[in-house]
Amino acid sequence: MATASASFKSREDHRKQLELEEARKAGLAPAEVDEDGKEINPHIPQYMSSAPWYLNAERPSLKHQRKWKSDPNYTKSWYDRGAKIYQADRYRKGACENCGAMTHDKKSCMERPRKVGAKWTSMHIAPDEKIETFELDYDGKRDRWNGYDASAYFRVIEQYEARDEARRKYLKEEQLKNLEEKNNKKDDEDSGSDDDDDDDFLKVDEAKVDESKQMDFAKVEKRVRTTGGGSTGTVRNLRIREDTAKYLLNLDVNSAYYDPKTRSMREDPVPDSDPNEKFYEGDNQNRVSGQALEFKQLNIHAWEAFEKGQDIHMQAAPSQAELLFKNYKIIKDKLKNKTKDTIMEKYGNAASEEALPRELLLGQSEREIEYDRAGRIIRGQEAALPKSKYEEDVYINNHTTVWGSWWKDHQWGYKCCKQTIRNSYCTGSAGIEAAEAATKLLKTNMARKEATDDMPVQHEEKRHATWGTEVPDDLVLDKRLLAEALKKEDERKKEERDERKRKYNVKWEDEITAEDMEAYRMKKIHHDDPMKDFLH
């Protein structure tokens, strides 16, 4: 929004100004008007519409965005080339000694040096040139086409058109000459017919017709200095009018889309018709054929190579991109041929093997086969059983039967050795006996284990001595000392549960008696004891 120079506004005025700007943008309020009475676009940003402080703009305006500094001395006119102003009758002092003009000296004279200059002859004095001085602006000094007359180039166009016209006239005369020579030949009078003569006369008449009356589709009509300015060129449409327009090939509204502005139809209008009878298959046909397809592949290769880290660009270095693509195709062909040779070396090539026998190729043989009246074979050839595409009756690993000839416990196997492993080696009857013995032994061991599991094992409780040895049978414990040891063990457990009751000075005794060990065992928690949770 164009506003005046920055001034202090209260909060209420600022809010009203924002509401007014929003209304102007929405079209609810009239647009702001500048000094010249022109409306200011409310969508112009403030940094563009606000005038600098040093211009002291009192009213909203956009003059600061226009070229408000203009020098009236600047001009866009140019020198009047070849203009003369005055021609003297005799030589004047200070004039050119060669031609007698006052506007230049002898050193800058452009005329042919005379044998005797005009200074001494005072004859044939050249007129003075018109000398002009201009004060050009910044653009005028750097305009390379300043002073150029476009009509001067029209002479060049006329020269080329005259040359083309002479060439067409010469070719027309040659054509007429050749046709007349063919008509004047008397060697073909006997073989010729009246129809051929009529055609020849028609050709001569067509050749004699003026070229301007024929359908010259390639002729270009040029107009120089038209009303709109500049030169224009109009080219006739090259489509033969007898051909059906592409948008009339299929009148279905759901068929290929035709763009009337660019006159393009990318898809095929009649895709179901015979391709040999179609003369138009859509504009996309040109994009997937010829050099267009090669250029597309080149661009795709350049993109993929750039993504993989190679320094290649189709527009910056097209020659490099084309050379890399050419090398890529050569390397790809070599790798493809190498892979093909490897596969043929491993699996063979049926095409290069020996040719089939002649009797197989022609369907003839010397085998005698006898048929009955119904067409059934009596003798000479047994009826072949139909086979599947898989190999049959193939025995591997010394087996005498195929896989799947034996079934037991929901598993397939070999009948010859009764094995359920697919790639196992056949062991024959010995393998069957060993398998039966192993099964029998396994059943015996399982029965023995079940019998032992039914009888629980009674473990003898052993009492350990003080230092981990077995407690001897003749060990006698003092009941009074054992009671003191149990009491001491309770106190120790109590101190472990509550560390606050531990004294500062702790006495340590490393002498452990048999009663102390017995008290420790009695108070120790056994984790496998089912009543351990009820001890405390």
Side-chain angles (χ1 to χ4, degrees):
M1 175 54 56
T3 58
S5 59
S7 61
F8 177 76
K9 293 181 181 180
S10 63
R11 181 177 298 178
E12 186 67 21
D13 295 340
H14 185 67
R15 184 183 61 80
K16 290 181 179 180
Q17 182 67 22
L18 291 178
E19 291 178 357
L20 180 59
E21 290 179 359
E22 292 295 333
R24 285 173 177 169
K25 289 180 181 179
L28 302 177
E32 197 171 6
V33 182
D34 60 0
E35 297 176 353
D36 300 333
K38 298 179 181 179
E39 293 184 353
I40 300 176
N41 191 347
H43 298 283
I44 295 178
Q46 185 178 7
Y47 74 90
M48 294 177 62
S49 61
S50 299
W53 61 270
Y54 52 83
L55 292 180
N56 298 324
E58 298 179 357
R59 293 192 59 188
S61 176
L62 292 177
K63 282 187 176 181
H64 59 278
Q65 292 290 346
R66 303 188 184 97
K67 186 179 180 182
W68 52 281
K69 280 187 177 182
S70 59
D71 193 347
N73 296 325
Y74 290 157
T75 178
K76 292 187 177 180
S77 58
W78 199 246
Y79 304 100
D80 192 3
R81 297 180 178 178
K84 309 296 182 181
I85 54 175
Y86 175 72
Q87 186 173 7
D89 296 335
R90 59 181 181 175
Y91 181 77
R92 294 162 292 177
K93 185 179 179 180
C96 177
E97 297 179 357
N98 184 42
C99 65
M102 287 291 293
T103 53
H104 61 271
D105 55 1
K106 183 179 179 181
K107 187 176 181 181
S108 304
C109 186
M110 300 298 295
E111 282 195 11
R112 178 183 59 83
R114 300 180 184 182
K115 187 176 182 181
V116 181
K119 180 179 179 181
W120 292 274
T121 60
S122 294
M123 296 174 61
H124 305 291
I125 303 299
D128 299 340
E129 294 91 353
K130 183 180 179 181
I131 298 177
E132 299 175 290
T133 57
F134 300 109
E135 188 177 354
L136 301 176
D137 56 356
Y138 181 86
D139 294 332
K141 292 178 182 179
R142 290 158 179 79
D143 188 5
R144 58 183 299 194
W145 296 101
N146 195 358
Y148 175 74
D149 189 6
S151 61
Y153 190 73
F154 186 65
R155 292 194 295 268
V156 180
I157 297 175
E158 287 180 347
Q159 291 178 3
Y160 278 95
E161 289 182 349
R163 187 186 65 178
D164 296 340
E165 186 68 25
R167 182 184 291 110
R168 284 194 293 268
K169 186 176 180 181
Y170 173 75
L171 294 175
K172 184 66 65 177
E173 292 176 355
E174 290 291 329
Q175 184 181 6
L176 287 171
K177 186 177 179 180
N178 294 333
L179 290 174
E180 289 176 358
E181 289 179 357
K182 289 182 180 180
N183 294 331
N184 294 332
K185 284 183 179 180
K186 298 180 180 180
D187 299 338
D188 300 337
E189 290 181 356
D190 299 333
S191 60
S193 61
D194 296 339
D195 297 337
D196 296 339
D197 295 340
D198 295 339
D199 294 339
D200 293 339
F201 284 122
L202 287 175
K203 290 180 181 179
V204 174
D205 294 338
E206 289 179 359
K208 290 181 179 179
V209 174
D210 187 10
E211 190 177 19
S212 62
K213 297 180 181 179
Q214 292 183 353
M215 296 177 64
D216 190 2
F217 294 103
K219 185 178 180 181
V220 178
E221 298 176 357
K222 291 184 172 61
R223 298 193 306 273
V224 181
R225 287 200 173 185
T226 58
T227 306
S231 60
T232 61
T234 57
V235 183
R236 296 183 183 179
N237 196 346
L238 301 181
R239 183 178 65 83
I240 302 175
R241 295 301 173 179
E242 285 80 2
D243 294 341
T244 306
K246 62 178 73 174
Y247 53 84
L248 297 178
L249 295 175
N250 191 352
L251 300 179
D252 187 5
V253 294
N254 296 325
S255 62
Y257 174 72
Y258 174 75
D259 186 10
K261 185 175 182 180
T262 58
R263 298 181 182 179
S264 61
M265 181 181 288
R266 298 190 175 185
E267 299 179 2
D268 189 359
V270 281
D272 299 333
S273 61
D274 187 7
N276 297 325
E277 299 178 357
K278 291 191 295 186
F279 69 92
Y280 179 75
E281 298 181 359
D283 296 339
N284 285 339
Q285 184 66 21
N286 299 328
R287 301 186 179 185
V288 295
S289 61
Q291 295 183 351
L293 182 60
E294 297 178 0
F295 184 72
K296 183 178 179 181
Q297 294 175 354
L298 177 59
N299 275 322
I300 294 174
H301 174 262
W303 297 337
E304 292 178 351
F306 182 77
E307 290 177 356
K308 293 179 181 178
Q310 293 190 9
D311 189 9
I312 178 175
H313 198 278
M314 185 58 195
Q315 282 71 33
S319 302
Q320 179 191 8
E322 188 173 359
L323 182 60
L324 290 176
F325 182 56
K326 185 178 180 181
N327 296 337
Y328 166 75
K329 290 195 295 185
I330 294 174
I331 296 173
K332 184 179 180 181
D333 293 341
K334 289 183 179 179
L335 183 61
K336 187 176 180 180
N337 295 333
K338 184 178 179 181
T339 306
K340 181 179 178 181
D341 295 340
T342 305
I343 294 175
M344 291 174 61
E345 182 180 356
K346 184 176 182 179
Y347 297 102
N349 186 7
S352 61
E353 293 179 356
E354 297 181 357
L356 294 175
R358 186 177 181 83
E359 57 271 10
L360 293 181
L361 291 175
L362 301 178
Q364 298 178 359
S365 63
E366 297 181 356
R367 183 180 300 174
E368 183 179 357
I369 302 175
E370 185 177 353
Y371 299 90
D372 58 2
R373 292 184 177 181
R376 294 184 291 268
I377 299 175
I378 300 176
R379 62 181 181 85
Q381 182 179 3
E382 297 179 355
L385 296 175
K387 292 187 177 182
S388 65
K389 64 178 181 179
Y390 303 101
E391 296 180 349
E392 297 182 0
D393 300 334
V394 177
Y395 307 113
I396 59 173
N397 297 337
N398 201 31
H399 289 284
T400 56
T401 56
V402 296
W403 169 261
S405 58
W406 187 61
W407 169 265
K408 184 179 181 182
D409 296 336
H410 303 282
Q411 288 184 340
W412 294 102
Y414 295 97
K415 188 177 181 180
C416 55
C417 57
K418 295 185 179 180
Q419 295 193 52
T420 58
I421 301 174
R422 179 68 180 272
N423 296 324
S424 61
Y425 192 81
C426 183
T427 54
S429 58
I432 296 175
E433 295 176 357
E436 291 177 353
T439 303
K440 186 176 180 182
L441 181 61
L442 180 62
K443 291 180 179 179
T444 304
N445 293 336
M446 290 177 64
R448 185 184 299 110
K449 185 177 181 181
E450 290 177 358
T452 54
D453 290 343
D454 294 340
M455 297 175 62
V457 179
Q458 297 180 358
H459 298 281
E460 183 180 358
E461 184 178 358
K462 296 182 179 180
R463 298 177 64 193
H464 296 280
T466 304
W467 301 110
T469 57
E470 294 183 359
V471 179
D473 297 335
D474 56 350
L475 180 62
V476 178
L477 298 176
D478 191 353
K479 293 183 178 180
R480 183 179 61 82
L481 296 177
L482 181 59
E484 293 178 356
L486 290 173
K487 185 177 180 181
K488 190 186 298 183
E489 185 68 19
D490 292 337
E491 292 178 355
R492 189 182 66 81
K493 293 278 187 181
K494 190 175 182 181
E495 288 181 0
E496 287 182 358
R497 286 194 299 269
D498 190 1
E499 294 183 353
R500 291 176 297 177
K501 295 183 179 181
R502 181 182 295 179
K503 297 180 180 179
Y504 183 77
N505 295 324
V506 180
K507 295 181 180 180
W508 182 261
E509 295 181 0
D510 54 354
E511 295 181 1
I512 299 176
T513 59
E515 287 79 4
D516 295 337
M517 282 300 300
E518 186 65 21
Y520 172 75
R521 294 193 192 97
M522 294 173 65
K523 295 293 183 179
K524 182 181 178 182
I525 298 176
H526 298 278
H527 294 283
D528 53 351
D529 189 0
M531 300 296 292
K532 64 180 180 178
D533 295 334
F534 301 96
L535 295 178
H536 302 288

